Amino acid sequence: MLLAYEPPELGYFGADALSCVTGAAEALGLSVETMDVGFNPDAPSLTPAMQARIDAADIVVFLARLGDQLRFSDMPPGKRIVVSFALDGALFGSAFGTTHHSAMTMLKIRVAEALARARQVHVTCAQGSDFSGVPEIGPVGEGDTTVLRFPLSVFKPVPARSFSGRVALCGFLTGTGSRYYDTYTVEFDGPLFARFERGRLTGFEGAAVDVARAEAQHDRVARQFGIDRNAVHSWHAGIHPGCGYPWAARDSYERWGGLAFGNPRILHFHTCGNYAPGEISWNMVDPTILIDGVPVWEDGVFHAARLPGGQEVLDTYPCAARVFAHPDRAIGLPAWDTAVPPRPVRSRPLAGVPAR
């Protein structure tokens, strides 16, 4: 196994992440090699030396943003390639890192199946988000990425081209981790809504100064990369209730955007660029997602048992049932984290919802 890592001095992965994964891999009997791949925000690429090391490995695990940046488009076929969203030893040892991966894989599929056959999806939140449409998600078997993500924390993105409405932004616009640029995040002084119509941004609503900041950010990023300014490509929500974010988002929006999106309390859009993940992320907090009238997400709680076949997964994997009963509500946004204390969540199907 090749562990491709970036140095902890860069402030993204924790100092103990490399030793944590190395120790676990060696305990499984794997021969482990490591390689510092650094971080290049402007022109990420695989050098010939990196490519040669990858070619020689059976398994490649990225503890580096390079893996997500490249999306492995130039990786050799037939490799088992993993990108880690756990950033330090505490996260690897938490419910986020220790809930059975197969349980989360099965739940991801159950969500995709429910969305693929849905006649209507309606999303709201207490801050005023309200958008709806009929998902055009395509065959469930088609992957949304060519890598294995660990821990698995989101479902397949839902194309936004058939959705319209408004999104209550959670105080800022930030990048997606696809490319990095100056003024990566802009904050707002008050509530701001993004309006869109069938996958196209139609404008922002809020105080004039905040509207101007949001419009200028889309203008600038689109101009810098030569991309479709008004594209609203797709959206998805977190599915992993163990995905807590214990730090303040303002300390590093780059780090927040690379981890916190896996918490069911966060739903995000891929915008500015007609591709996933785009270059600007719209984030909303505590979504209620009605799939054909069933609140599968309710005020930021993902009720897996309300999915056809979801209770089966929880019954099969007690570790998953435990984390769904006691979700980690920390998302690094003090205004929301202090307002909603952690609480046990009952996991049972709604009356009238068929079980597979």
Side-chain angles (χ1 to χ4, degrees), residues 155-346:
F155 55 82
K156 183 178 181 179
V158 179
R161 59 180 175 263
S162 57
F163 282 78
S164 301
R166 71 176 191 168
V167 180
L169 303 175
C170 65
F172 53 86
L173 292 176
T174 191
T176 64
S178 171
R179 289 184 272 200
Y180 291 84
Y181 44 85
D182 292 336
T183 317
Y184 190 75
T185 302
V186 292
E187 297 180 337
F188 307 121
D189 294 332
L192 188 69
F193 296 89
R195 282 197 170 275
F196 69 105
E197 183 75 26
R198 297 191 66 81
R200 304 293 298 172
L201 169 64
T202 58
F204 295 92
E205 292 180 356
V209 65
D210 289 334
V211 169
R213 286 174 185 156
E215 297 281 11
Q217 184 76 342
H218 274 260
D219 285 341
R220 190 175 59 78
V221 174
R223 187 167 51 247
Q224 179 173 341
F225 297 114
I227 55 180
D228 187 344
R229 175 200 190 277
N230 294 326
V232 181
H233 183 271
S234 51
W235 61 270
H236 51 185
I239 64 171
H240 204 311
C243 181
Y245 192 84
W247 310 282
R250 294 189 75 183
D251 291 347
S252 172
Y253 282 111
E254 294 91 339
R255 205 175 197 225
W256 183 89
L259 170 60
F261 68 86
N263 192 300
R265 296 190 64 199
I266 296 175
L267 181 151
H268 72 273
F269 278 79
H270 308 137
T271 80
C272 198
N274 191 24
Y275 51 87
E279 302 303 334
I280 295 178
S281 177
W282 296 350
N283 293 277
M284 58 174 281
V285 175
D286 291 339
T288 291
I289 305 176
L290 300 172
I291 303 178
D292 286 336
V294 177
V296 179
W297 274 254
E298 190 169 12
D299 296 326
V301 176
F302 174 29
H303 294 275
R306 295 177 182 176
L307 289 167
Q311 186 62 53
E312 264 180 45
V313 177
L314 301 182
D315 290 342
T316 302
Y317 296 96
C319 58
R322 284 193 296 272
V323 71
F324 273 87
H326 299 278
D328 191 330
R329 303 279 290 173
I331 54 173
L333 303 174
W336 281 275
D337 284 349
T338 56
V340 185
R343 64 182 189 274
V345 176
R346 290 188 303 167

